Short mmCIF file of all heavy atoms in Angstrom, two decimals:
data_model
loop_
_atom_site.label_atom_id
_atom_site.label_comp_id
_atom_site.label_asym_id
_atom_site.label_seq_id
_atom_site.Cartn_x
_atom_site.Cartn_y
_atom_site.Cartn_z
N PHE A 8 -6.03 14.87 5.61
CA PHE A 8 -6.54 13.75 6.39
C PHE A 8 -7.61 14.26 7.34
O PHE A 8 -8.76 13.89 7.22
CB PHE A 8 -5.40 13.08 7.16
CG PHE A 8 -5.79 11.79 7.82
CD1 PHE A 8 -5.92 10.63 7.07
CD2 PHE A 8 -6.03 11.73 9.17
CE1 PHE A 8 -6.26 9.44 7.67
CE2 PHE A 8 -6.39 10.55 9.77
CZ PHE A 8 -6.50 9.41 9.03
N GLN A 9 -7.27 15.12 8.27
CA GLN A 9 -8.18 15.75 9.20
C GLN A 9 -7.71 17.17 9.42
O GLN A 9 -6.55 17.48 9.26
CB GLN A 9 -8.18 15.03 10.55
CG GLN A 9 -8.65 13.61 10.50
CD GLN A 9 -8.49 12.96 11.88
OE1 GLN A 9 -7.68 13.40 12.70
NE2 GLN A 9 -9.25 11.94 12.13
N LYS A 10 -8.63 18.02 9.85
CA LYS A 10 -8.25 19.40 10.12
C LYS A 10 -7.27 19.51 11.28
O LYS A 10 -6.43 20.37 11.30
CB LYS A 10 -9.50 20.25 10.41
CG LYS A 10 -10.35 20.47 9.19
CD LYS A 10 -11.51 21.35 9.49
CE LYS A 10 -12.36 21.55 8.24
NZ LYS A 10 -13.51 22.40 8.49
N SER A 11 -7.39 18.62 12.29
CA SER A 11 -6.54 18.70 13.47
C SER A 11 -5.30 17.82 13.36
O SER A 11 -4.68 17.52 14.36
CB SER A 11 -7.35 18.29 14.70
OG SER A 11 -7.73 16.94 14.58
N ALA A 12 -4.95 17.39 12.16
CA ALA A 12 -3.84 16.47 11.99
C ALA A 12 -2.78 17.08 11.07
O ALA A 12 -3.08 17.87 10.20
CB ALA A 12 -4.33 15.16 11.40
N THR A 13 -1.53 16.67 11.30
CA THR A 13 -0.43 17.08 10.45
C THR A 13 0.10 15.84 9.75
O THR A 13 0.38 14.83 10.39
CB THR A 13 0.70 17.70 11.29
OG1 THR A 13 0.17 18.79 12.03
CG2 THR A 13 1.83 18.18 10.41
N ILE A 14 0.25 15.92 8.43
CA ILE A 14 0.70 14.78 7.65
C ILE A 14 2.16 14.97 7.25
O ILE A 14 2.57 16.05 6.87
CB ILE A 14 -0.17 14.60 6.40
CG1 ILE A 14 -1.60 14.30 6.85
CG2 ILE A 14 0.36 13.48 5.51
CD1 ILE A 14 -2.59 14.26 5.74
N GLY A 15 2.91 13.90 7.35
CA GLY A 15 4.32 13.94 6.96
C GLY A 15 4.87 12.53 6.99
O GLY A 15 4.15 11.56 6.81
N ASN A 16 6.17 12.44 7.26
CA ASN A 16 6.76 11.11 7.39
C ASN A 16 7.35 10.97 8.79
O ASN A 16 7.55 11.94 9.50
CB ASN A 16 7.77 10.82 6.28
CG ASN A 16 8.98 11.70 6.35
OD1 ASN A 16 9.67 11.77 7.36
ND2 ASN A 16 9.26 12.39 5.25
N LEU A 17 7.61 9.76 9.17
CA LEU A 17 8.08 9.44 10.51
C LEU A 17 9.38 10.15 10.86
O LEU A 17 9.59 10.54 12.00
CB LEU A 17 8.21 7.92 10.65
CG LEU A 17 8.72 7.36 11.96
CD1 LEU A 17 7.91 7.85 13.14
CD2 LEU A 17 8.71 5.84 11.90
N ALA A 18 10.24 10.35 9.89
CA ALA A 18 11.53 11.01 10.14
C ALA A 18 11.37 12.45 10.60
O ALA A 18 12.28 13.01 11.22
CB ALA A 18 12.39 10.96 8.88
N GLN A 19 10.23 13.06 10.34
CA GLN A 19 9.99 14.45 10.73
C GLN A 19 9.56 14.60 12.19
O GLN A 19 9.57 15.70 12.72
CB GLN A 19 8.93 15.07 9.82
CG GLN A 19 9.36 15.14 8.38
CD GLN A 19 8.22 15.51 7.45
OE1 GLN A 19 7.07 15.12 7.67
NE2 GLN A 19 8.52 16.28 6.42
N LEU A 20 9.20 13.50 12.83
CA LEU A 20 8.74 13.56 14.22
C LEU A 20 9.92 13.70 15.16
O LEU A 20 11.04 13.30 14.86
CB LEU A 20 7.94 12.31 14.58
CG LEU A 20 6.67 12.05 13.79
CD1 LEU A 20 5.97 10.81 14.34
CD2 LEU A 20 5.74 13.25 13.84
N LYS A 21 9.65 14.28 16.33
CA LYS A 21 10.66 14.48 17.35
C LYS A 21 10.35 13.61 18.56
O LYS A 21 9.24 13.10 18.71
CB LYS A 21 10.70 15.95 17.75
CG LYS A 21 11.11 16.85 16.62
CD LYS A 21 11.10 18.29 17.03
CE LYS A 21 11.53 19.11 15.82
NZ LYS A 21 10.90 20.38 15.75
N LYS A 22 11.32 13.48 19.43
CA LYS A 22 11.16 12.68 20.65
C LYS A 22 9.91 13.11 21.40
O LYS A 22 9.66 14.30 21.59
CB LYS A 22 12.39 12.85 21.54
CG LYS A 22 12.31 12.05 22.82
CD LYS A 22 13.54 12.24 23.65
CE LYS A 22 13.41 11.51 24.98
NZ LYS A 22 14.58 11.70 25.82
N GLY A 23 9.11 12.12 21.79
CA GLY A 23 7.89 12.39 22.54
C GLY A 23 6.64 12.54 21.70
O GLY A 23 5.54 12.56 22.23
N GLU A 24 6.78 12.64 20.39
CA GLU A 24 5.62 12.83 19.52
C GLU A 24 5.02 11.49 19.11
O GLU A 24 5.74 10.49 18.99
CB GLU A 24 5.99 13.65 18.28
CG GLU A 24 6.37 15.08 18.62
CD GLU A 24 6.70 15.92 17.42
OE1 GLU A 24 7.17 15.37 16.40
OE2 GLU A 24 6.50 17.14 17.49
N SER A 25 3.70 11.48 18.89
CA SER A 25 2.98 10.29 18.48
C SER A 25 2.28 10.54 17.16
O SER A 25 2.02 11.69 16.79
CB SER A 25 1.93 9.93 19.53
OG SER A 25 2.54 9.63 20.76
N ALA A 26 1.99 9.46 16.45
CA ALA A 26 1.32 9.57 15.16
C ALA A 26 0.66 8.24 14.82
O ALA A 26 0.82 7.26 15.54
CB ALA A 26 2.32 9.97 14.08
N THR A 27 -0.06 8.24 13.71
CA THR A 27 -0.68 7.03 13.18
C THR A 27 -0.13 6.79 11.78
O THR A 27 -0.09 7.71 10.97
CB THR A 27 -2.21 7.18 13.12
OG1 THR A 27 -2.70 7.47 14.43
CG2 THR A 27 -2.87 5.92 12.61
N VAL A 28 0.28 5.56 11.51
CA VAL A 28 0.80 5.20 10.18
C VAL A 28 -0.36 5.24 9.18
O VAL A 28 -1.44 4.72 9.45
CB VAL A 28 1.43 3.79 10.20
CG1 VAL A 28 1.87 3.37 8.80
CG2 VAL A 28 2.60 3.73 11.17
N ILE A 29 -0.12 5.87 8.02
CA ILE A 29 -1.15 5.89 6.97
C ILE A 29 -0.67 5.24 5.68
O ILE A 29 -1.45 5.05 4.76
CB ILE A 29 -1.66 7.32 6.69
CG1 ILE A 29 -0.53 8.26 6.32
CG2 ILE A 29 -2.45 7.84 7.88
CD1 ILE A 29 -0.99 9.65 5.90
N GLY A 30 0.61 4.88 5.60
CA GLY A 30 1.09 4.20 4.40
C GLY A 30 2.61 4.19 4.35
O GLY A 30 3.28 4.77 5.19
N LEU A 31 3.12 3.51 3.34
CA LEU A 31 4.56 3.43 3.12
C LEU A 31 4.88 3.94 1.73
O LEU A 31 4.04 3.89 0.82
CB LEU A 31 5.05 1.99 3.26
CG LEU A 31 4.86 1.35 4.64
CD1 LEU A 31 5.22 -0.13 4.58
CD2 LEU A 31 5.69 2.06 5.68
N ALA A 32 6.10 4.41 1.54
CA ALA A 32 6.55 4.92 0.25
C ALA A 32 6.43 3.84 -0.82
O ALA A 32 6.58 2.66 -0.54
CB ALA A 32 7.99 5.40 0.34
N ASP A 33 6.17 4.26 -2.03
CA ASP A 33 6.01 3.33 -3.14
C ASP A 33 7.10 3.59 -4.17
O ASP A 33 6.89 4.26 -5.16
CB ASP A 33 4.63 3.50 -3.77
CG ASP A 33 4.31 2.40 -4.76
OD1 ASP A 33 4.92 1.33 -4.68
OD2 ASP A 33 3.45 2.63 -5.62
N ASP A 34 8.31 3.07 -3.89
CA ASP A 34 9.44 3.20 -4.80
C ASP A 34 9.73 1.83 -5.39
O ASP A 34 9.54 0.81 -4.74
CB ASP A 34 10.68 3.71 -4.06
CG ASP A 34 10.48 5.11 -3.51
OD1 ASP A 34 9.62 5.85 -4.04
OD2 ASP A 34 11.17 5.47 -2.55
N ASP A 35 10.19 1.80 -6.62
CA ASP A 35 10.46 0.54 -7.30
C ASP A 35 11.91 0.07 -7.18
O ASP A 35 12.25 -0.99 -7.67
CB ASP A 35 10.09 0.65 -8.78
CG ASP A 35 8.59 0.77 -8.98
OD1 ASP A 35 7.84 0.28 -8.12
OD2 ASP A 35 8.18 1.36 -9.99
N GLU A 36 12.76 0.86 -6.51
CA GLU A 36 14.15 0.45 -6.36
C GLU A 36 14.22 -0.79 -5.47
O GLU A 36 13.50 -0.90 -4.48
CB GLU A 36 14.96 1.58 -5.74
CG GLU A 36 15.00 2.84 -6.57
CD GLU A 36 15.68 3.97 -5.84
OE1 GLU A 36 16.63 3.69 -5.07
OE2 GLU A 36 15.28 5.12 -6.03
N THR A 37 15.10 -1.72 -5.80
CA THR A 37 15.21 -2.99 -5.07
C THR A 37 15.42 -2.79 -3.58
O THR A 37 14.74 -3.40 -2.76
CB THR A 37 16.34 -3.85 -5.65
OG1 THR A 37 16.11 -4.04 -7.04
CG2 THR A 37 16.42 -5.19 -4.95
N GLY A 38 16.35 -1.94 -3.20
CA GLY A 38 16.62 -1.71 -1.78
C GLY A 38 15.44 -1.14 -1.04
O GLY A 38 15.17 -1.49 0.10
N VAL A 39 14.71 -0.25 -1.68
CA VAL A 39 13.53 0.36 -1.06
C VAL A 39 12.41 -0.65 -0.91
O VAL A 39 11.72 -0.68 0.11
CB VAL A 39 13.07 1.61 -1.85
CG1 VAL A 39 11.80 2.19 -1.26
CG2 VAL A 39 14.17 2.66 -1.88
N VAL A 40 12.23 -1.51 -1.88
CA VAL A 40 11.20 -2.55 -1.80
C VAL A 40 11.50 -3.49 -0.64
O VAL A 40 10.61 -3.85 0.14
CB VAL A 40 11.08 -3.32 -3.13
CG1 VAL A 40 10.16 -4.52 -2.97
CG2 VAL A 40 10.58 -2.42 -4.24
N LEU A 41 12.77 -3.87 -0.47
CA LEU A 41 13.16 -4.73 0.64
C LEU A 41 12.94 -4.03 1.99
O LEU A 41 12.48 -4.64 2.96
CB LEU A 41 14.61 -5.18 0.50
CG LEU A 41 14.90 -6.10 -0.70
CD1 LEU A 41 16.40 -6.33 -0.82
CD2 LEU A 41 14.14 -7.40 -0.58
N MET A 42 13.28 -2.74 2.04
CA MET A 42 13.09 -1.96 3.26
C MET A 42 11.60 -1.86 3.60
O MET A 42 11.21 -2.04 4.76
CB MET A 42 13.69 -0.55 3.09
CG MET A 42 13.58 0.30 4.33
SD MET A 42 14.05 2.04 4.09
CE MET A 42 15.49 1.94 3.07
N LYS A 43 10.79 -1.61 2.60
CA LYS A 43 9.34 -1.52 2.79
C LYS A 43 8.78 -2.84 3.32
O LYS A 43 7.98 -2.85 4.26
CB LYS A 43 8.66 -1.13 1.48
CG LYS A 43 7.17 -1.03 1.55
CD LYS A 43 6.59 -0.64 0.21
CE LYS A 43 5.09 -0.71 0.19
NZ LYS A 43 4.53 -0.37 -1.09
N THR A 44 9.22 -3.94 2.75
CA THR A 44 8.77 -5.26 3.20
C THR A 44 9.16 -5.48 4.65
O THR A 44 8.35 -5.95 5.46
CB THR A 44 9.37 -6.36 2.31
OG1 THR A 44 8.97 -6.14 0.96
CG2 THR A 44 8.93 -7.74 2.77
N ARG A 45 10.38 -5.12 5.02
CA ARG A 45 10.83 -5.30 6.39
C ARG A 45 10.03 -4.42 7.36
O ARG A 45 9.66 -4.87 8.45
CB ARG A 45 12.32 -4.96 6.50
CG ARG A 45 12.90 -5.21 7.86
CD ARG A 45 12.83 -6.68 8.21
NE ARG A 45 13.43 -6.89 9.52
CZ ARG A 45 13.03 -7.80 10.37
NH1 ARG A 45 12.05 -8.63 10.05
NH2 ARG A 45 13.61 -7.92 11.53
N LEU A 46 9.74 -3.19 6.98
CA LEU A 46 8.93 -2.32 7.83
C LEU A 46 7.53 -2.90 8.05
O LEU A 46 7.00 -2.87 9.16
CB LEU A 46 8.84 -0.92 7.21
CG LEU A 46 10.11 -0.08 7.25
CD1 LEU A 46 9.96 1.17 6.39
CD2 LEU A 46 10.46 0.30 8.69
N GLN A 47 6.95 -3.47 7.00
CA GLN A 47 5.65 -4.11 7.13
C GLN A 47 5.72 -5.30 8.08
O GLN A 47 4.83 -5.50 8.89
CB GLN A 47 5.12 -4.55 5.76
CG GLN A 47 4.73 -3.39 4.88
CD GLN A 47 4.41 -3.82 3.46
OE1 GLN A 47 4.97 -4.78 2.95
NE2 GLN A 47 3.51 -3.07 2.82
N GLU A 48 6.77 -6.09 7.96
CA GLU A 48 6.95 -7.25 8.84
C GLU A 48 7.09 -6.83 10.31
O GLU A 48 6.65 -7.55 11.21
CB GLU A 48 8.19 -8.05 8.43
CG GLU A 48 8.04 -8.77 7.12
CD GLU A 48 9.33 -9.37 6.62
OE1 GLU A 48 10.41 -9.06 7.18
OE2 GLU A 48 9.28 -10.16 5.65
N LEU A 49 7.68 -5.66 10.55
CA LEU A 49 7.84 -5.17 11.91
C LEU A 49 6.55 -4.59 12.48
O LEU A 49 6.46 -4.35 13.68
CB LEU A 49 8.95 -4.11 11.96
CG LEU A 49 10.37 -4.60 11.69
CD1 LEU A 49 11.33 -3.42 11.61
CD2 LEU A 49 10.81 -5.59 12.75
N GLY A 50 5.56 -4.34 11.62
CA GLY A 50 4.27 -3.83 12.09
C GLY A 50 3.95 -2.41 11.70
O GLY A 50 2.96 -1.85 12.17
N PHE A 51 4.75 -1.80 10.84
CA PHE A 51 4.46 -0.45 10.38
C PHE A 51 3.41 -0.52 9.28
O PHE A 51 3.70 -0.41 8.09
CB PHE A 51 5.75 0.24 9.89
CG PHE A 51 6.68 0.57 11.02
CD1 PHE A 51 7.61 -0.35 11.48
CD2 PHE A 51 6.61 1.80 11.65
CE1 PHE A 51 8.47 -0.06 12.53
CE2 PHE A 51 7.46 2.11 12.70
CZ PHE A 51 8.39 1.17 13.15
N LEU A 52 2.17 -0.70 9.71
CA LEU A 52 1.03 -0.87 8.81
C LEU A 52 0.03 0.25 9.02
O LEU A 52 -0.06 0.82 10.12
CB LEU A 52 0.36 -2.22 9.08
CG LEU A 52 1.26 -3.45 8.89
CD1 LEU A 52 0.58 -4.69 9.45
CD2 LEU A 52 1.62 -3.63 7.43
N PRO A 53 -0.76 0.59 8.00
CA PRO A 53 -1.75 1.66 8.15
C PRO A 53 -2.67 1.42 9.35
O PRO A 53 -3.13 0.31 9.58
CB PRO A 53 -2.53 1.60 6.83
CG PRO A 53 -1.53 1.05 5.86
CD PRO A 53 -0.73 0.05 6.65
N GLY A 54 -2.86 2.48 10.12
CA GLY A 54 -3.73 2.41 11.29
C GLY A 54 -2.99 2.18 12.60
O GLY A 54 -3.55 2.38 13.67
N GLU A 55 -1.73 1.76 12.53
CA GLU A 55 -0.95 1.50 13.74
C GLU A 55 -0.49 2.81 14.38
O GLU A 55 -0.02 3.71 13.70
CB GLU A 55 0.27 0.63 13.44
CG GLU A 55 -0.07 -0.79 13.08
CD GLU A 55 -0.70 -1.56 14.23
OE1 GLU A 55 -0.33 -1.32 15.41
OE2 GLU A 55 -1.56 -2.40 13.95
N ARG A 56 -0.62 2.89 15.69
CA ARG A 56 -0.15 4.05 16.44
C ARG A 56 1.33 3.87 16.75
O ARG A 56 1.76 2.78 17.12
CB ARG A 56 -0.94 4.20 17.73
CG ARG A 56 -2.42 4.43 17.53
CD ARG A 56 -2.80 5.85 17.36
NE ARG A 56 -2.38 6.57 18.54
CZ ARG A 56 -2.23 7.89 18.59
NH1 ARG A 56 -2.48 8.60 17.54
NH2 ARG A 56 -1.83 8.49 19.68
N ILE A 57 2.10 4.95 16.62
CA ILE A 57 3.53 4.90 16.90
C ILE A 57 3.90 6.08 17.79
O ILE A 57 3.18 7.07 17.86
CB ILE A 57 4.37 4.93 15.60
CG1 ILE A 57 4.05 6.17 14.78
CG2 ILE A 57 4.16 3.67 14.78
CD1 ILE A 57 4.92 6.35 13.58
N HIS A 58 5.03 5.94 18.47
CA HIS A 58 5.51 6.98 19.37
C HIS A 58 7.04 7.03 19.26
O HIS A 58 7.69 5.98 19.29
CB HIS A 58 5.09 6.64 20.81
CG HIS A 58 5.58 7.61 21.82
ND1 HIS A 58 4.99 8.83 22.04
CD2 HIS A 58 6.63 7.54 22.69
CE1 HIS A 58 5.63 9.47 22.99
NE2 HIS A 58 6.64 8.71 23.40
N VAL A 59 7.57 8.24 19.13
CA VAL A 59 9.03 8.40 19.09
C VAL A 59 9.52 8.36 20.53
O VAL A 59 9.30 9.28 21.31
CB VAL A 59 9.46 9.70 18.39
CG1 VAL A 59 10.98 9.83 18.38
CG2 VAL A 59 8.91 9.76 16.98
N HIS A 60 10.16 7.26 20.88
CA HIS A 60 10.60 7.00 22.25
C HIS A 60 11.91 7.73 22.56
O HIS A 60 12.09 8.23 23.66
CB HIS A 60 10.75 5.49 22.44
CG HIS A 60 11.05 5.06 23.82
ND1 HIS A 60 10.14 5.15 24.84
CD2 HIS A 60 12.19 4.54 24.36
CE1 HIS A 60 10.70 4.70 25.95
NE2 HIS A 60 11.94 4.33 25.68
N ALA A 61 12.83 7.76 21.61
CA ALA A 61 14.13 8.39 21.84
C ALA A 61 14.81 8.70 20.51
O ALA A 61 14.43 8.17 19.47
CB ALA A 61 15.03 7.47 22.67
N GLU A 62 15.81 9.59 20.58
CA GLU A 62 16.64 9.92 19.41
C GLU A 62 18.09 9.85 19.86
O GLU A 62 18.41 10.24 21.00
CB GLU A 62 16.34 11.33 18.90
CG GLU A 62 14.93 11.51 18.39
CD GLU A 62 14.64 12.96 18.05
OE1 GLU A 62 15.05 13.87 18.80
OE2 GLU A 62 13.98 13.19 17.03
N ALA A 63 18.97 9.37 19.00
CA ALA A 63 20.39 9.31 19.33
C ALA A 63 20.97 10.71 19.43
O ALA A 63 20.46 11.66 18.84
CB ALA A 63 21.14 8.50 18.28
N PHE A 64 22.05 10.82 20.19
CA PHE A 64 22.73 12.10 20.32
C PHE A 64 24.18 11.90 19.96
O PHE A 64 24.80 10.93 20.41
CB PHE A 64 22.62 12.60 21.77
CG PHE A 64 23.32 13.91 21.98
CD1 PHE A 64 22.71 15.09 21.62
CD2 PHE A 64 24.61 13.95 22.48
CE1 PHE A 64 23.36 16.29 21.81
CE2 PHE A 64 25.27 15.15 22.65
CZ PHE A 64 24.63 16.33 22.32
N PRO A 65 24.80 12.75 19.21
CA PRO A 65 24.22 13.84 18.45
C PRO A 65 23.70 13.36 17.10
O PRO A 65 23.97 12.24 16.70
CB PRO A 65 25.41 14.78 18.25
CG PRO A 65 26.58 13.86 18.15
CD PRO A 65 26.26 12.69 19.06
#
Side-chain angles (χ1 to χ4, degrees):
F8 189 77
Q9 297 175 337
K10 290 183 181 180
S11 64
T13 303
I14 297 173
N16 65 56
L17 178 54
Q19 296 169 325
L20 298 183
K21 296 178 180 147
K22 181 180 176 181
E24 294 182 331
S25 298
T27 302
V28 176
I29 56 174
L31 298 173
D33 190 22
D34 296 337
D35 291 333
E36 298 174 34
T37 304
V39 176
V40 171
L41 294 173
M42 182 188 318
K43 179 180 172 181
T44 301
R45 184 64 179 147
L46 289 170
Q47 290 171 329
E48 291 171 349
L49 293 173
F51 289 87
L52 301 168
E55 290 295 326
R56 298 273 301 161
I57 58 174
H58 178 79
V59 180
H60 186 70
E62 297 173 319
F64 179 81

